[in-house]
Amino acid sequence: MKRSDWPAGRRNAGFTYLWVLFLVALMGIGLTVAAEITATAAQRDKEKALLAIGRQFRTAISSYYEAQAPGGGVRQYPASLEDLLHDRRFPGVRRHLRKLFVDPLTGKAEWGELRIAGRIVGLYSLSERVPMKQGGFEADDTGFHGKQKYSDWVFSYPSDLMGQTGAENASGQAASPGRPNFNVQIDKKVW
């Protein structure tokens, strides 16, 4: 049977099959791109949540440190995260944090603790993933610029604590009055 003897519909069947294969391949590529865009957006949302939660922890640690017990006393950092939920130095209930948050990157209620002299001065995520955000941070978070993993984003009070050694800050200037003076070993512990 010659090709010219084939019915018209059968002659075009090969081209239709090729077009269907092309469309399936194109749809596969489109779905892959859509999945990557969705994953990137989800990661950026988790980063934003981590930054917001970290700022709340930093504010709570600051509030705890700046609050002096009735009758004066020495300023101190919290010994545990539970101290931020209920400050026992005061009569009645005094809260610096309303709840202990879950790490949005790991999905667990576990945080790394930065301690000085057994007291919590900062918290960080236990995630070892590489951050997408590498710049454009708010003033208190400028130390996060160029960090290679989320666990390097330490939310401490004061925010430039990691740049301080002894009575000097990162620029070599004396620490300002009223700010804590650190000249001790910093220990990282897991909560």
Side-chain angles (χ1 to χ4, degrees):
M1 180 179 230
K2 293 189 233 174
R3 186 173 176 169
S4 61
D5 295 340
W6 288 355
R10 191 160 179 201
R11 274 187 244 147
N12 295 329
F15 291 111
T16 304
Y17 180 70
L18 288 175
W19 277 109
V20 168
L21 286 177
F22 176 73
L23 286 174
V24 168
L26 195 59
M27 287 176 20
I29 292 170
L31 289 173
T32 302
V33 169
E36 286 182 28
I37 290 171
T38 302
T40 301
Q43 186 67 23
R44 289 195 188 277
D45 288 344
K46 289 178 182 179
E47 279 185 356
K48 287 178 186 176
L50 176 63
L51 289 168
I53 290 169
R55 286 184 198 111
Q56 288 185 50
F57 275 125
R58 179 186 292 135
T59 301
I61 292 169
S62 166
S63 174
Y64 187 95
Y65 180 82
E66 297 297 333
Q68 291 182 332
V74 179
R75 290 182 178 171
Q76 61 185 6
Y77 287 99
S80 70
L81 291 177
E82 287 76 21
D83 289 346
L84 298 174
L85 297 175
H86 183 214
D87 191 345
R88 297 188 194 327
R89 300 176 298 172
F90 295 90
V93 177
R94 178 146 187 189
R95 298 182 187 279
H96 302 280
L97 192 66
R98 59 187 174 91
K99 70 176 186 174
L100 294 179
F101 296 96
V102 172
D103 182 343
L105 297 172
T106 63
K108 299 177 182 175
E110 295 177 331
W111 294 90
E113 295 177 352
L114 183 66
R115 291 179 172 264
I116 295 179
R119 298 270 181 185
I120 299 172
V121 298
L123 294 171
Y124 57 93
S125 172
L126 297 176
S127 175
E128 296 294 318
R129 294 180 65 186
V130 177
M132 295 183 83
K133 185 174 178 94
Q134 292 292 317
F137 292 98
E138 291 186 16
D140 285 343
D141 299 331
T142 55
F144 300 166
H145 179 75
K147 297 292 183 182
Q148 295 303 309
K149 41 188 184 170
Y150 289 113
S151 60
D152 292 337
W153 289 7
V154 179
F155 299 93
S156 63
Y157 175 74
S159 60
D160 61 349
L161 174 69
M162 297 306 292
Q164 292 183 351
T165 56
E168 296 181 351
N169 60 23
S171 63
Q173 300 170 340
S176 60
R179 297 213 36 194
N181 180 4
F182 299 106
N183 194 10
V184 295
Q185 178 66 33
I186 296 175
D187 300 318
K188 288 186 175 182
K189 294 189 177 181
V190 176
W191 171 70

